[in-house]
Amino acid sequence: MQWVKVLGGVVGAAALLGLGIIVGHFAIPKGADSPAPSASASQDLDLEILKTVIEQLDANRIRENLRELSKEPHLATSPRDEALVQLLLQRWQDPESGLDSARTTEYEVLLSFPSEEQPNRVDVVNSTGAILFSCRHSEENLTGEQGGPNVVPPYAAYAPPGTPQGPLVYANQGSEEDFKELQNKGVKLQDSIVLTRYGGVGRGAKAVNAAKYGVIGVLVYTDPKDINDGKSLPNETFPHSWCLPPSGVERGSYFEYFGDPLTPYLPAMPSSFRLNSDNASGFPPIPIQPIGFEDAQVLLCQVNVSVHNRLELRNSSNVLGIIRGAVEPDRYVLYGNHRDSWVHGAVDPSTGTAVLLELSRVLGTLLKKGTWRPRRSIVFASWGAEEFGLIGSTEFTEEFFSKLQERAVAYINVDISVFANATLRVQGTPPIQSVVFSAAKQISAPGSSGLSIYDNWIRYYNRSSSVYGLVPSVGTLGAGSDYAPFIHFLGISSMDIAYTYDRSKTSARIYPTYHTAFDTFDYVNKFLDPGFTSHQAVARTAGSVLLRLSDSLFLPLNVSDYSETLRSFLQAAENLRVPLEQHNISLGPLVTAVEKFEGAATSLNQRIATLQKGTSDPLQVRMINDQLMLLERTFLNSQAFPEERYYSHVLWAPRTGSVATFPGLSNAYSQAESTGHEPAAWAEVQRQLSIVVAALEGAAATLRPVADL
């Protein structure tokens, strides 16, 4: 990425923050105007500006954005994907509603596509090889949008080519337990092809698990029970309802990790070292192909699978739009959404991009009128090639690892902004809870209930907090979207915001047309959000959060909210006390570390409250904000999970153990229990416990007064 150059001199307002503050050079374009004369180090959130932004976010404009974004398929690096790059640049460079600057950066990344010359096939054959039945090569053209030349046929990205043939075995969700059960029942898996359904484990894990048992090919389908509440007939499904049609096939990436497969931990620039694709890890070990449930129910006997996917190096673009901060230009609040889709991608990701464009339009208009400039810099991002494994965002974090770790305040992700129109759904790390709650309490929920988004949210998803009583549930962050490299790799406080459905009315694991050719504008307009008021609600909520993070004098990150999480993890660990002590492992240091964190967080909140009552010294504000910003980084340990690429956050790494405590401790304990008295396994338990204790001690130290080394 070509970042904006550093100003020759330090801007006047930033000088108030102390001689040691390094001005962020991508936030300040060369030759840019100085901050507005009214800007000062005491600048705080302007509630009138916040109200103006919320009122100006227009549902109809979001609708038209979505219509334009989803009118053609835009697979990563396709001509339409690149056309959308230009659309974003045009919007963000508009003289009346654009941002301070906008630019693209390209990464040369390894993607996977089906062969046009040899389409992937799934056939039922007899003992002589004669074809008795063939699965569909494409989805049924129900609305005239599924048969276009740019609709990529269903395939499993990164699945290796091959033509396995063998008897078909149903293997449920393709989990390790599913294959063990089949083996225990005497089912012959060697040289078989297995039929699995989506869910339970990740896409690629189905092939990894199958290969361990001698399986030579995998088929994956979406079961109507998991996505359609059992509805499977043509007159019960799209275009008659939101349910997945029988021919619908979920595409997806089957790569195990995220980022470019050939340049792990390095940005995919032309000069970067690349692995040989034959030696790269994370690809499915055997051919795998997705099919529709109408085909899954008729497969019999011998099955022949022909997969002809190919790997290609392609240039994929990120687009960045930047608003320069008036007081702290070297502190970045990032707001991102990916751009690429498997087909038309109206829901995924264009509902998010439609919101992104409307929010940036409203803020850009205020900016161009000279009525507003944020305290901190805002970076809008449109990520490329997310569907292949979070590639654009991961390459960005690799290229700017140090800069982002030093300067990024938070990352807001709005991928799918609307799954359905019942309630808000938020995932994030504990410190972001308070700012999301504050935003949601001041915005009306769609519909005629008269409730705020917060009060409506609490009706659908809630939990009992030992501190606050009944509050909405905020989910945790896995690796389902572009927030993953920010939280797991960089330790940046992150969140994902969307509107979703009422879980009491459907058991669908996600919206039914996910990653299919039926995810179109009309699907959204007719079934998900006819008035686009849920899109507007997400725009208002995310916009309010963005302004609070960029404009508040003190960052609205409540570090004390981590105490509840740590206390719950500690309570779960207490259940292991007896077996741990039998192996001379004490929980005492962990108890002490949690208590130190709680005390340090409480003391920091008290210092903030004291400063808020008086005239805030700019340097004191800066130091406090850095403590709030850097807390999440203290939970990183690059040695904690050497087998898990990019995962270094000791609180949010994948947990495979059965105990709901710190993931490393839980995983190590479960492994040690399964091996009995193996000293090395219990030594790993001690190591993981020490890693957690060190992280908590470091976190507490970060929150103490900066003069107290």
Side-chain angles (χ1 to χ4, degrees), residues 17 71 79 90 153 213 241 307 324 326 347 350 356 408 425 456 508 599 624 689:
L17 300 176
K71 70 180 183 182
Q90 178 186 1
Y213 292 84
S241 78
V307 174
R324 185 181 72 257
V347 182
S350 299
L356 169 71
R425 187 216 70 179
N456 183 65
I624 291 285
L689 183 60

Side-chain angles (χ1 to χ4, degrees), residues 611-687:
L611 285 171
Q612 286 175 325
K613 293 176 182 177
T615 302
S616 299
D617 174 67
L619 187 56
Q620 290 293 323
V621 173
R622 177 72 169 203
M623 289 190 294
I624 291 285
N625 282 339
D626 280 357
Q627 290 174 282
L628 297 170
M629 179 184 76
L630 295 173
L631 171 66
E632 207 75 62
R633 322 284 204 270
T634 66
F635 295 119
L636 299 182
N637 187 315
S638 61
Q639 302 303 310
F641 313 104
E643 74 288 354
E644 297 281 359
R645 189 181 295 178
Y646 294 108
Y647 287 100
S648 56
H649 199 297
V650 302
L651 303 183
W652 305 121
R655 181 170 60 82
T656 57
S658 58
V659 182
T661 186
F662 303 96
L665 176 60
S666 178
N667 299 347
Y669 176 80
S670 292
Q671 182 64 28
E673 277 283 279
S674 67
T675 59
H677 295 281
E678 177 62 42
W682 289 101
E684 178 61 14
V685 175
Q686 178 69 74
R687 187 180 84 91

Side-chain angles (χ1 to χ4, degrees), residues 207-411:
V208 171
N209 295 336
K212 294 176 184 176
Y213 292 84
V215 173
I216 56 174
V218 180
L219 301 176
V220 192
Y221 76 99
T222 302
D223 196 288
K225 181 181 177 182
D226 299 327
I227 204 79
N228 284 352
D229 297 313
K231 294 183 176 66
S232 60
L233 300 177
N235 64 353
E236 297 177 312
T237 58
F238 182 79
H240 306 289
S241 78
W242 84 321
C243 294
L244 180 68
S247 67
V249 185
E250 179 181 321
R251 298 151 180 79
S253 173
Y254 286 69
F255 181 56
E256 181 179 355
Y257 307 116
F258 44 88
D260 172 47
L262 301 186
T263 58
Y265 296 106
L266 294 171
M269 311 298 286
S271 60
S272 291
F273 170 78
R274 279 181 168 75
L275 300 171
N276 186 302
S277 59
D278 294 336
N279 300 325
S281 60
F283 299 136
I286 54 178
I288 187 167
Q289 175 70 15
I291 61 175
F293 65 77
E294 72 172 359
D295 286 333
Q297 65 185 342
V298 299
L299 289 179
L300 300 166
C301 308
Q302 292 273 99
V303 175
N304 179 283
V305 180
S306 299
V307 174
H308 301 287
N309 297 341
R310 66 186 190 277
L311 297 172
E312 290 187 25
L313 279 174
R314 293 277 192 95
N315 289 329
S316 178
S317 301
N318 290 340
V319 189
L320 298 181
I322 299 162
I323 300 177
R324 185 181 72 257
V327 180
E328 298 181 78
D330 61 330
R331 290 295 179 260
Y332 319 143
V333 181
L334 298 111
Y335 181 115
N337 158 250
H338 75 93
R339 182 183 64 257
D340 63 307
S341 66
W342 287 110
V343 193
H344 292 84
V347 182
D348 180 11
S350 299
T351 57
T353 311
V355 166
L356 169 71
L357 286 172
E358 174 61 1
L359 179 56
S360 61
R361 179 194 70 83
V362 171
L363 294 182
T365 300
L366 293 176
L367 184 72
K368 293 300 185 182
K369 288 180 177 178
T371 56
W372 168 83
R373 180 171 291 281
R375 178 185 182 88
R376 303 175 186 91
S377 294
I378 293 173
V379 181
F380 288 110
S382 172
W383 309 118
E386 185 269 358
E387 295 292 6
F388 287 83
L390 318 182
I391 287 179
S393 55
T394 302
E395 300 311 306
F396 174 80
T397 58
E398 289 171 336
E399 183 174 5
F400 299 103
F401 179 89
S402 297
K403 180 179 289 187
L404 293 170
Q405 275 209 322
E406 292 168 359
R407 306 175 188 178
V409 169
Y411 175 65

Side-chain angles (χ1 to χ4, degrees), residues 69-74 145 151 341-346 350 517 519-520:
L69 292 163
S70 62
K71 70 180 183 182
E72 295 178 33
H74 46 285
E145 298 163 291
V151 174
S341 66
W342 287 110
V343 193
H344 292 84
S350 299
D519 181 357
T520 62

